[in-house]
Amino acid sequence: MKTSLRRSARRRAMGAGFAALLLGAGAVGCAKGEDSPKMTPVAAVAKAAKNAEDITSFRYRMTGKVPEQGRVKADAAMRMKPTVAMSMKMTALDQGADGTAEIRLVDKAMYMGGGAAAAKEMDGKSWLKFDLSELGAEGLDDPSLGAGQADKNPADQSTFLAGSKDVEDVGTETVDGVKTTHYKGTVTMKQLRESLKGEDEATRKRRFDQFTKLGVDAVTMDMWVDGDDQTKQFRMRGDGDKGPLDMTITLLDINEPVTITAPPAKDTMDLAEMMDEAQS
């Protein structure tokens, strides 16, 4: 039973890893408003990316395909201030029963919920807890623990398209009832690296590493910008050595209250305690 439990915990941790990784995939702010004066595609994309820096909380949906995980869908909410918190309900559509999970990040602890399937393997408890404060800096950066990007603002990645050499205005489109301008371009990893030269090392690592880990050499990016120069939707596509990436993030809310709570203690199993018991 212990071996099965550890195996199940690892599977769910990897599932959390792909979700947390995608939290850094470019979700940025959205709002409705009047059309802004016409700008060049590069200037429009850069302005939308700059506006994303003011995000303090948001909700969004995510659909697409992720290397090694296949087709995924998720609904998520994240708060950046006053403290970082995150909640995501996700489904890896190609992984059957093991592909559905919920993740919460609260008070430097990551919780993964597997519902009834997890409860069968964890003495009736449906949540697994990772205490990130005990893992230290290395633990926070370990994607297998689902923490890789969970405490970072996903809006960081919205700057990528501004580094493209071929940004173009595709035309006007309506996204989720909002009139937007669709921009598109391709960013190579070399261009991305050059665009980050003026940033500090932590920022460069945060924005660049997720793609190198997937073995992606170039990313085709689409951005739908509304009349308030905010991004309503974002799509990224690329071919990595671990499979294709094709992910679309649509913002449904921005800077609205986001409250996330830890699961009940009676329904939670602490991973550290579980491993100590297994070793003894």
Side-chain angles (χ1 to χ4, degrees), residues 126-239:
S126 56
W127 289 88
L128 189 62
K129 176 184 177 181
F130 300 85
D131 190 339
L132 302 181
S133 62
E134 294 183 0
L135 295 172
E138 293 183 1
L140 286 170
D141 289 331
D142 185 350
S144 69
L145 295 176
Q149 296 292 331
D151 60 341
K152 310 299 190 300
N153 190 341
D156 280 345
Q157 310 308 332
S158 66
T159 62
F160 286 3
L161 189 54
S164 172
K165 303 299 183 182
D166 61 355
V167 180
E168 60 178 327
D169 183 336
V170 179
T172 301
E173 299 176 16
T174 299
V175 177
D176 199 39
V178 177
K179 183 180 178 181
T180 68
T181 301
H182 180 183
Y183 299 97
K184 180 179 180 180
T186 300
V187 184
T188 66
M189 292 303 100
K190 180 179 179 181
Q191 291 171 341
L192 177 56
R193 188 181 294 108
E194 290 176 350
S195 71
L196 295 174
K197 284 184 177 179
E199 303 289 349
D200 58 81
E201 183 177 354
T203 299
R204 291 195 300 270
K205 180 179 177 64
R206 185 171 68 246
R207 296 181 180 178
F208 188 77
D209 281 7
Q210 62 176 313
F211 294 106
T212 59
K213 290 176 181 177
L214 296 175
V216 176
D217 294 325
V219 178
T220 297
M221 294 192 171
D222 295 76
M223 182 183 288
W224 288 262
V225 180
D226 70 13
D228 285 338
D229 302 313
Q230 300 277 11
T231 301
K232 173 65 178 176
Q233 184 168 274
F234 192 87
R235 183 184 183 188
M236 55 198 336
R237 290 168 287 164
D239 292 317

